[in-house]
Amino acid sequence: MAQVTSGLRAILSHPATYRFVQRIFGGSATLRDFVGRFVRPQPGDRIIDIGCGPAQILYCMSDIRYVGYDPSERYIRDARKSHDPAHAQFFAGRFREEDLALHQPFDIGLLLGVLHHLDDEEASDVVGLLRSAIRPGGRLITLDNVFIDRQNPIARKLIEWDRGKNVRTASEYRALADRHFSLVNGTIVHKTFPPYTLYICECS
């Protein structure tokens, strides 16, 4: 498990993950569309978000219990100021195996813009850790940039320039999830401005 925490610490100690998510979603309407289409939170759901930043996604959800982890003290301070502590808890640090005992099982886990920063072993380990944090029947949602055949050349170049050096194909992302979840549904999403290609994986 040491490789997972060191890997996550390396990528989440910088704002790269949060900047990636902000660049992808662009505005609140796009973020709300993502939440409504893929996260689909229900009243009372417990949600854990790894690499949460200042937890902007919370503005698109209501009547839930939310736990966010991020090693950036600044992001966590901002999140705590912005969100009701009765419904949201924030932890400055990386999510580790020993943290499982601090929380009840979650209904939904979020890994947004994380996996393409991790090698296969680190990525598999963090997906497995979140599988342990999620109740039976719960779901994990991942989102990352992806390489596909006949990709828009501008989208491919933008993705090649990303500081995350482990961008995968859709089948490679799916293989990571298949190690830990029995049901995996993947969706390729094309953004038009700027051109960009995403792979969203819903695991249960």
Side-chain angles (χ1 to χ4, degrees):
M1 196 58 64
Q3 285 187 319
V4 173
T5 55
S6 61
L8 284 179
R9 180 172 57 205
I11 64 126
L12 295 180
S13 60
H14 301 287
T17 300
Y18 179 66
R19 285 201 304 268
F20 169 81
V21 174
Q22 287 296 94
R23 183 173 71 247
I24 292 307
F25 289 124
S28 59
T30 308
L31 184 56
R32 287 185 183 279
D33 179 72
F34 167 77
V35 170
R37 184 178 175 189
F38 295 101
V39 183
R40 304 188 302 278
Q42 301 298 310
D45 274 354
R46 294 178 52 80
I47 297 176
I48 183 168
D49 186 357
I50 302 302
C52 65
Q56 295 294 104
I57 198 170
L58 255 180
Y59 293 116
C60 303
M61 301 185 284
S62 59
D63 300 321
I64 59 142
R65 301 298 299 271
Y66 177 96
V67 172
Y69 276 80
D70 198 294
S72 169
E73 294 275 0
R74 178 170 61 86
Y75 283 156
I76 293 301
R77 283 197 304 269
D78 289 347
R80 287 171 177 161
K81 292 176 182 177
S82 302
H83 301 291
D84 184 354
H87 300 288
Q89 288 182 289
F90 297 98
F91 296 86
R94 56 198 185 277
F95 186 60
R96 299 165 296 185
E97 188 170 11
E98 51 265 39
D99 294 319
L100 293 172
L102 300 178
H103 308 288
Q104 298 178 25
F106 294 95
D107 300 287
I108 300 172
L110 300 176
L111 272 177
L112 308 182
V114 171
L115 294 179
H116 72 282
H117 289 275
L118 305 177
D119 66 30
D120 284 351
E121 185 176 357
E122 292 171 333
S124 178
D125 283 349
V126 73
V127 171
L129 182 60
L130 279 171
R131 175 63 187 89
S132 299
I134 296 169
R135 65 169 176 80
R139 295 179 295 127
L140 171 66
I141 313 299
T142 74
L143 177 148
D144 287 276
N145 42 21
V146 64
F147 289 129
I148 63 172
D149 293 335
R150 296 182 295 278
Q151 191 162 19
N152 181 299
I154 298 175
R156 177 169 285 269
K157 182 57 66 175
L158 289 173
I159 290 171
E160 288 173 350
W161 285 341
D162 192 283
R163 66 182 294 170
K165 299 308 177 186
N166 291 285
V167 178
R168 298 170 173 85
T169 65
S171 61
E172 289 170 334
Y173 283 120
R174 186 184 180 103
L176 291 173
D178 280 338
R179 299 178 190 177
H180 305 283
F181 290 87
S182 58
L183 182 61
V184 178
N185 292 316
T187 302
I188 293 175
V189 175
H190 300 277
K191 281 182 59 91
T192 56
F193 186 78
Y196 215 76
T197 319
L198 300 168
Y199 185 69
I200 299 171
C201 203
E202 184 176 349
C203 317
S204 60

